[in-house]
Amino acid sequence: LLRITVENSFNREVQLVADRTFEGGSHNLVIEYTDHSGQPLPKGLYFVYFNNGSSTAPQTQRFFVE
């Protein structure tokens, strides 16, 4: 199971990208710059968390909305 979320700089989840099991191999996901309600994200720094439920820290990527 892989959970992919986008959080703002205040550690608030603004979007759930995926919460499911993926088959082995490469995958492409599109992250829209919108919140849970479909509104555009305000300017700022955001973090994408990839969490597979293990005890290790989730992998993180960051992006900036201008």
Side-chain angles (χ1 to χ4, degrees):
L1 182 65
L2 181 63
R3 182 176 177 87
I4 304 171
T5 57
V6 176
E7 294 185 9
N8 63 19
S9 57
F10 301 106
N11 290 337
R12 291 190 192 115
E13 183 178 301
V14 296
Q15 186 184 134
L16 175 62
V17 179
D19 191 16
R20 62 185 179 93
T21 301
F22 289 86
E23 297 291 324
S26 297
H27 300 276
N28 293 316
L29 292 172
V30 176
I31 298 176
E32 303 289 337
Y33 296 130
T34 58
D35 62 15
H36 287 296
S37 63
Q39 297 299 310
L41 293 175
K43 293 179 181 180
L45 181 63
Y46 293 86
F47 300 90
V48 180
Y49 290 96
F50 302 85
N51 191 334
N52 64 4
S54 71
S55 60
T56 60
Q59 293 184 8
T60 307
Q61 295 289 321
R62 64 179 178 222
F63 66 93
F64 193 81
V65 174
E66 295 189 65

